[in-house]
Amino acid sequence: MIISTSTSTSTPKTLTRRTIRSNNVFSTSTCLLAASSSSTNTGTGRRGSRSSRASSPSSSALTNTNTNKVTKRRRSRHHQHHHRGARSPQPEFLEFNAKLKRLISKKDVTAAEDLLLKSLQKYEDGSGTLRPDKFHFGIVINGWARSNNPSKAEDLLRRIEDYYYEDGKTWLKPVVVQYSSVIHALARSTHRYGNHAAQKAEDMLRHMERMYFEAGNVDVRPDKITYTTVITAWAKAAARGSDANGSNVHAAMRAEAVLQRMLHLYNTDKKNFEDVKPDVIAYTSVITAWCNCGKVDKAEQMLEEMEAQYMLYSYQAARRSKDDNADIDIDADIVAVRPNVATYTAIMDGYRSEKSEEVFHKMVERGIQPDVASYTAVLHGLAHSTCTGNMTPTPTPTPTQRAEALLQQMELLNGKVKPTTATYNAMMDVWAKHGNNVSRAEAVLRRMQHLYTSGENTEARPNALSYSSLINAYAKSKHRNAALQAEKIFKEQEQDSNIRPVTQTYDALIDAWARSNAHTPDSAERAEAWFHKMVQRYQDGDRAVRPSVRSCNKVLLAWSRSSRVDAPQAAEAFLNQLYINDVVKPDIVSYTTVIKAWASSSDPQAGSKADALLTRAIEKYRAGDASMKPDVVTYNCFLKALANCSRVHHNRDDYDVEAACRQADEILVGMILLSRIGDVLVRPNRITYEHMIDVWSKSDSVKAFGKIESYRQMAIAAGHDDND
């Protein structure tokens, strides 16, 4: 059941905001998952049986009466004066509107809210004649929403509810636009607050449904835009990741649940819920949610269902139009939504591989014209492609050749699909990751500069990411002076006052130095120096270059690759300094990289140093820091440190090989136990057992031979598992 089966059409006069909120008729499980529980299909299939729809909202007289009023009321929803007897806005009313908007345009929403509340207080105590109404409150709520402060917007909305439900101020009856503003603000804040913001948006939607179905407030009835905004909020939240694998399947499931709710309402009563029928934007948002959480196969399955539903509907409609006398009924349960270019592009962005190109060609075969976003998505996919092309038996073009062909195709379309900055940046990424020809990547940047300065293509102006892409190309090249060339490009960008470096620019430059250890002895110092410049620039107020954990991990990687004797000590000192600066919080990759540096050291204390770092990481994880969870790579680096110490120092009187063997066994047993209870990230692999063999190979124990043979068999088995 979706709503109460009571046939009463009257709304209790004593119904307050609290009773609406506390009523559990529209709980999460019954309100938004009702569609999935009443249907045997998911995605875009048929929704439930006719018997289950008999007890739908259409069976309520309240729903029919209220819904019929919605369209008329919304058509007249303008910023009008609602004083008794007033037929047009008074000058005082218009002036007050203008004052609120001026304050908000100056980003002083606090002053606007203070003015609004003081004006209301003056009206109530008789010292003022202007009566602020719901539209004035809507202006300020929208101001908070646009200033990315959803909590303030929600607080003011709750105040309006108190005025109406608790204090009886009927002229402040809440309306849908106020709730929509808050939901839009919450959707925009998901990049910071993730699932929490999306859940609050969904809670607000459920609250609107309760007020409509139970309290009879037709002015807050959610429409298609409201539902789609909540879906979008969950889609954005899905991109943040939440579980151990960095996925956020829950967010995608919630997005699809809201879509199912829309379908359920529409299929229940098509006449009254026509404005809730999901469109291609709603479907595409759900597909984006599945792609954002890494479940692209689920997203493509949904796309295929959309295609099948649309083809079936088109077939039935075509047959009926050809023969008016034919007894052909179009299935009333079909919601035919044709996928558009944005739908296919979402799938391409989700794959980010050679499969993006397959989806692109499938889209073209369906008669859908690609746009610049779809072309760019294919280029990103080719940049991440693992296919390198071949010459026999049938020659296959390389990713760079296919990408160049696509870019040339766009340029020959005479402006119909004009390449943008993002398109050329993607092309540079293709050359960076596949071509090993940094000169071709630089040629793309020079072409962008020419097209923009000559006026041929004003959409191709290079930006910070353009320079980042080229620096990244140098970082990944085998050019002997790659790091120096990367610095040269960085300094060229700094000379352009219109293009400021961003975090990715510094990350690419640091990576270039981290990869140049074989050619430059002081590369680790240079990488760390650029990191400190980045931190200083951020602390001076440039928020575009905020250092990330990836930034510091690149520096640690440079030290782990350094041939300097004191490289492990320098790496650990840099790690400790991060806690003092309090700009970037290290994660398990940071600790693993420093352990790796000690594992390659000949220092007699390398094993104990690695042990101390591993212990610190585990303690932080147990204290609640999820980013410090050790994985198989962490443990393998520690085992490598033990193996290296046993190999180098087994003849020293002060080194206990047997103690190292016991410690290695304890680590391995712990990994096996954790993997057996479901922690697949610590499951021992072939490398694990090879390090175990190395540790035991220097032992004089009578059981050493048996241990080594046992671990050799485990390594073989683990190798087969890895291949599988």
Side-chain angles (χ1 to χ4, degrees):
M1 294 293 292
I2 301 303
I3 63 170
S4 171
T5 56
S6 171
T7 57
S8 174
T9 61
S10 62
T11 303
K13 298 298 183 182
T14 59
L15 188 62
T16 66
R17 183 185 60 147
R18 279 189 198 89
T19 58
I20 292 173
R21 285 183 177 177
S22 62
N23 193 311
N24 289 325
V25 174
F26 281 88
S27 64
T28 303
S29 58
T30 57
C31 179
L32 287 175
L33 290 179
S36 58
S37 63
S38 63
S39 172
T40 57
N41 295 329
T42 59
T44 58
R46 298 185 181 184
R47 310 294 169 188
S49 63
R50 297 187 184 276
S51 61
S52 67
R53 294 197 297 273
S55 58
S56 64
S58 63
S59 65
S60 171
L62 172 63
T63 302
N64 285 325
T65 304
N66 292 342
T67 307
N68 291 335
K69 298 177 183 177
V70 171
T71 304
K72 293 181 180 179
R73 291 200 181 190
R74 288 186 177 174
R75 285 175 182 168
S76 62
R77 184 177 290 137
H78 299 290
H79 289 243
Q80 299 176 351
H81 195 208
H82 290 280
H83 290 256
R84 293 177 182 174
R87 293 179 175 238
S88 61
Q90 300 298 317
E92 184 183 13
F93 186 91
L94 297 176
E95 183 181 351
F96 188 65
N97 272 358
K99 283 182 180 179
L100 292 176
K101 292 180 179 178
R102 277 198 301 270
L103 289 170
I104 291 172
S105 66
K106 295 177 181 178
K107 301 187 183 302
D108 195 355
V109 190
T110 301
E113 183 174 338
D114 290 342
L115 175 63
L116 176 66
L117 297 179
K118 287 178 181 178
S119 298
L120 180 61
Q121 183 62 41
K122 287 181 179 180
Y123 175 79
E124 290 181 328
D125 61 23
S127 61
T129 59
L130 176 72
R131 182 178 72 175
D133 64 9
K134 55 191 175 184
F135 296 110
H136 292 125
F137 277 87
I139 291 172
V140 180
I141 289 173
N142 191 50
W144 283 123
R146 290 182 176 276
S147 64
N148 295 320
N149 199 329
S151 60
K152 289 285 189 179
E154 187 176 2
D155 289 343
L156 188 56
L157 178 57
R158 298 307 184 194
R159 185 187 287 262
I160 296 175
E161 290 181 339
D162 285 337
Y163 286 150
Y164 178 71
Y165 289 108
E166 307 291 345
D167 301 339
K169 294 181 175 63
T170 55
W171 69 91
L172 291 178
K173 186 178 183 181
V175 293
V176 68
V177 67
Q178 297 164 345
Y179 292 91
S180 296
S181 293
V182 177
I183 290 175
H184 275 286
L186 289 167
R188 286 196 297 268
S189 69
T190 50
H191 70 284
R192 288 185 293 170
Y193 305 115
N195 284 14
H196 176 70
Q199 185 61 61
K200 291 195 71 173
E202 186 177 332
D203 291 343
M204 183 71 71
L205 172 64
R206 293 203 307 271
H207 180 56
M208 295 172 70
E209 286 183 321
R210 286 193 295 270
M211 295 178 70
Y212 169 67
F213 285 114
E214 298 176 36
N217 187 353
V218 296
D219 290 326
V220 298
R221 177 189 155 183
D223 57 15
K224 181 190 306 180
I225 296 175
T226 316
Y227 284 98
T228 303
T229 304
V230 175
I231 294 174
T232 302
W234 280 117
K236 291 179 179 179
R240 296 191 75 224
S242 63
D243 61 19
N245 296 317
S247 177
N248 196 350
V249 176
H250 171 75
M253 292 175 65
R254 296 308 313 149
E256 186 162 353
V258 178
L259 176 66
Q260 297 286 353
R261 172 66 174 160
M262 296 174 72
L263 287 165
H264 180 79
L265 289 173
Y266 173 71
N267 283 328
T268 294
D269 190 341
K270 293 181 174 60
K271 179 180 178 181
N272 289 324
F273 290 100
E274 175 66 31
D275 65 338
V276 180
K277 178 182 177 182
D279 57 12
V280 67
I281 298 175
Y283 278 95
T284 301
S285 295
V286 177
I287 285 174
T288 301
W290 284 115
C291 290
N292 286 346
C293 72
K295 301 292 183 181
V296 191
D297 53 341
K298 175 69 176 176
E300 191 160 19
Q301 178 186 348
M302 194 170 182
L303 172 63
E304 291 171 355
E305 290 177 0
M306 289 177 67
E307 292 174 330
Q309 292 278 53
Y310 183 77
M311 290 176 66
L312 177 60
Y313 177 85
S314 300
Y315 171 75
Q316 292 177 347
R319 286 196 60 191
R320 190 172 184 177
S321 64
K322 286 183 179 179
D323 188 355
D324 293 336
N325 298 322
D327 187 17
I328 300 174
D329 291 330
I330 297 179
D331 194 332
D333 286 345
I334 294 179
V335 178
V337 179
R338 185 187 184 189
N340 62 12
V341 64
T343 316
Y344 286 95
T345 302
I347 302 288
M348 295 179 218
D349 278 327
Y351 273 122
R352 286 290 174 109
S353 67
E354 57 268 12
K355 292 202 71 173
S356 301
E357 193 175 13
E358 296 176 13
V359 177
F360 179 85
H361 292 308
K362 177 182 176 182
M363 177 185 72
V364 174
E365 290 173 0
R366 297 286 191 273
I368 299 175
Q369 293 298 318
D371 60 7
V372 64
S374 55
Y375 275 104
T376 304
V378 177
L379 293 178
H380 281 302
L382 290 171
H384 292 84
S385 173
T386 57
C387 176
T388 58
N390 60 70
M391 298 303 295
T392 58
T394 303
T396 302
T398 64
T400 52
Q401 291 172 333
R402 304 204 301 272
E404 286 283 6
L406 281 170
L407 183 59
Q408 186 178 16
Q409 181 182 347
M410 294 179 71
E411 292 176 332
L412 292 176
L413 288 175
N414 296 323
K416 293 181 180 179
V417 184
K418 187 177 293 186
T420 63
T421 300
T423 313
Y424 287 108
N425 289 351
M427 187 66 239
M428 280 193 281
D429 285 338
V430 176
W431 279 112
K433 295 175 182 177
H434 290 287
N436 193 27
N437 190 338
V438 72
S439 61
R440 297 296 297 269
E442 187 166 352
V444 175
L445 177 64
R446 303 310 173 199
R447 175 158 179 73
M448 293 173 69
Q449 293 170 333
H450 168 73
L451 290 171
Y452 177 73
T453 55
S454 66
E456 294 180 44
N457 186 354
T458 56
E459 299 296 322
R461 180 179 182 176
N463 60 12
L465 294 180
S466 307
Y467 286 92
S468 301
S469 296
L470 181 55
I471 293 172
N472 186 51
Y474 271 107
K476 289 180 168 57
S477 72
K478 296 180 180 179
H479 197 288
R480 184 174 182 85
N481 297 318
L484 292 173
Q485 288 297 117
E487 271 196 15
K488 181 180 177 182
I489 297 298
F490 182 90
K491 292 174 181 177
E492 176 186 331
Q493 176 187 350
E494 286 189 312
Q495 293 174 0
D496 190 336
S497 59
N498 295 317
I499 306 178
R500 294 189 306 169
V502 294
T503 299
Q504 294 92 324
T505 318
Y506 278 95
D507 284 353
L509 182 55
I510 293 170
D511 188 37
W513 281 111
R515 293 170 180 266
S516 67
N517 273 301
H519 306 298
T520 312
D522 64 342
S523 57
E525 294 97 313
R526 300 286 286 270
E528 185 172 340
W530 278 108
F531 176 83
H532 290 310
K533 289 180 182 178
M534 181 185 187
V535 171
Q536 186 61 54
R537 185 164 185 160
Y538 171 72
Q539 291 176 336
D540 288 343
D542 190 348
R543 299 304 176 190
V545 296
R546 179 172 185 172
S548 65
V549 67
R550 185 175 178 223
S551 311
C552 69
N553 288 344
K554 291 289 185 184
V555 177
L556 292 171
L557 180 64
W559 281 116
S560 72
R561 291 174 172 175
S562 175
S563 58
R564 278 180 40 170
V565 176
D566 63 341
Q569 290 88 341
E572 188 165 349
F574 177 78
L575 176 67
N576 294 332
Q577 187 66 31
L578 293 173
Y579 288 102
I580 298 174
N581 293 338
D582 197 26
V583 175
V584 181
K585 184 172 75 71
D587 61 4
I588 192 59
V589 177
S590 313
Y591 278 77
T592 301
T593 308
V594 181
I595 292 173
K596 181 181 178 182
W598 281 112
S600 302
S601 171
S602 59
D603 192 306
Q605 300 299 317
S608 60
K609 291 287 188 179
D611 185 25
L613 286 164
L614 179 60
T615 302
R616 278 173 59 186
I618 293 174
E619 287 175 351
K620 290 180 180 295
Y621 173 66
R622 289 175 177 171
D625 188 348
S627 69
M628 293 300 297
K629 184 180 185 300
D631 58 12
V632 64
V633 179
T634 310
Y635 288 115
N636 284 351
C637 287
F638 174 68
L639 292 174
K640 181 181 178 182
L642 292 179
N644 189 48
C645 285
S646 295
R647 185 182 70 255
V648 177
H649 306 296
H650 66 279
N651 290 324
R652 291 172 60 105
D653 294 336
D654 58 347
Y655 186 78
D656 191 345
V657 175
E658 305 306 323
C661 292
R662 288 193 299 271
Q663 190 174 12
D665 277 352
E666 290 173 2
I667 291 293
L668 179 62
V669 169
M671 294 173 68
I672 293 173
L673 290 176
L674 287 173
S675 63
R676 285 179 178 175
I677 61 175
D679 191 350
V680 297
L681 296 180
V682 298
R683 187 180 68 176
N685 56 22
R686 178 181 55 81
I687 297 174
T688 311
Y689 294 111
E690 288 178 353
H691 289 325
M692 292 298 298
I693 293 171
D694 288 341
V695 174
W696 276 96
S697 64
K698 300 302 179 183
S699 172
D700 295 329
S701 172
V702 294
K703 58 182 180 181
F705 178 79
K707 285 278 189 179
I708 292 173
E709 186 59 31
S710 174
Y711 290 141
R712 183 173 288 114
Q713 294 301 320
M714 291 180 180
I716 294 172
H720 288 312
D721 291 342
D722 292 342
N723 292 333
D724 292 342

